[in-house]
Amino acid sequence: MLAPLSVTVVTGFLGAGKTTLVNRWLTGVTRGDIAVIVNEIGDVGIDGELLAARARTVVEITGGCVCCATQAELVRALDDLAGAPVPPKRVLVETSGAASPAGVLRAISTGGRDGAFALDGVITVVDATRVDAVCKHDLALEQIGYADVVVLSRASACDRAVIAHATDMIALHNGAAVLAEGARGIVSA
């Protein structure tokens, strides 16, 4: 049996900075090591073009959310990557801002042949400048709740009191997540 394909899910509410973060991460890895699956709710993908120069493979899934409407496309894309003659070392799944992590994780855990995919973790990006507004949405709270790591984006635009407040809000909804600060895609712990 082949080693399972390591999958990391990057989620976060609309406009949180997911693509900026993924784009920055890709600058630090060998181009052939990582494949990216980008989900766009609309019929036209934009984020995939931004990431294509840095990833081995970019698969865009448009026209619906991979947590529900296009979940089968996500499973197919993961199967194709896992079955490639030389599979990537890792796959990043960047969800749309409207994606429920539960549906995405279900696709990863139940899709494909047994043991084909291994969830590496869930990273949720939260805009530190909008944490109060974001936390009013059940979906955003779900995204935070599923996170192994929460990246507070736009931290450089905040003073320490705002960061402390954002940290408290995240801890209120997921005290187990590792918290990191991000600015323009650069993350510091």
Side-chain angles (χ1 to χ4, degrees):
M1 181 173 158
L2 296 173
L5 185 62
S6 183
V7 181
T8 303
V9 176
V10 180
T11 191
F13 206 60
L14 302 163
K18 297 177 295 294
T19 302
T20 300
L21 183 67
V22 170
N23 196 25
R24 183 60 137 171
W25 283 345
L26 291 174
T27 63
V29 297
T30 304
R31 186 171 188 270
D33 289 348
I34 296 183
V36 180
I37 298 173
V38 180
N39 179 219
E40 298 275 359
I41 282 286
D43 290 329
V44 178
I46 298 169
D47 294 342
E49 288 182 35
L50 297 171
L51 302 172
R54 293 205 166 98
R56 168 189 182 156
T57 305
V58 174
V59 177
E60 284 188 290
I61 300 175
T62 60
C65 188
V66 292
C67 66
C68 52
T70 59
Q71 192 176 77
E73 288 182 56
L74 173 59
V75 172
R76 248 189 321 277
L78 288 167
D79 271 339
D80 290 348
L81 292 168
V86 180
K89 291 181 180 176
R90 172 174 315 285
V91 175
L92 295 177
V93 176
E94 180 189 335
T95 69
S96 76
S100 162
V104 176
L105 298 182
R106 189 170 31 260
I108 293 167
S109 66
T110 62
R113 64 186 193 282
D114 285 343
F117 316 134
L119 178 65
D120 183 29
V122 177
I123 299 163
T124 300
V125 183
V126 176
D127 183 342
T129 66
R130 300 184 312 137
V131 71
D132 287 330
V134 167
C135 286
K136 291 179 181 175
H137 297 275
D138 290 341
L139 177 61
L141 294 176
E142 180 185 347
Q143 293 167 342
I144 292 166
Y146 272 90
D148 297 302
V149 176
V150 174
V151 175
L152 291 174
S153 65
R154 296 180 182 89
S156 61
C158 302
D159 62 29
R160 294 315 307 165
V162 172
I163 294 296
H165 174 69
T167 299
D168 290 345
M169 290 296 289
I170 299 305
L172 181 65
H173 300 289
N174 183 345
V178 172
L179 195 63
E181 295 177 22
R184 294 179 185 85
I186 299 171
V187 176
S188 61

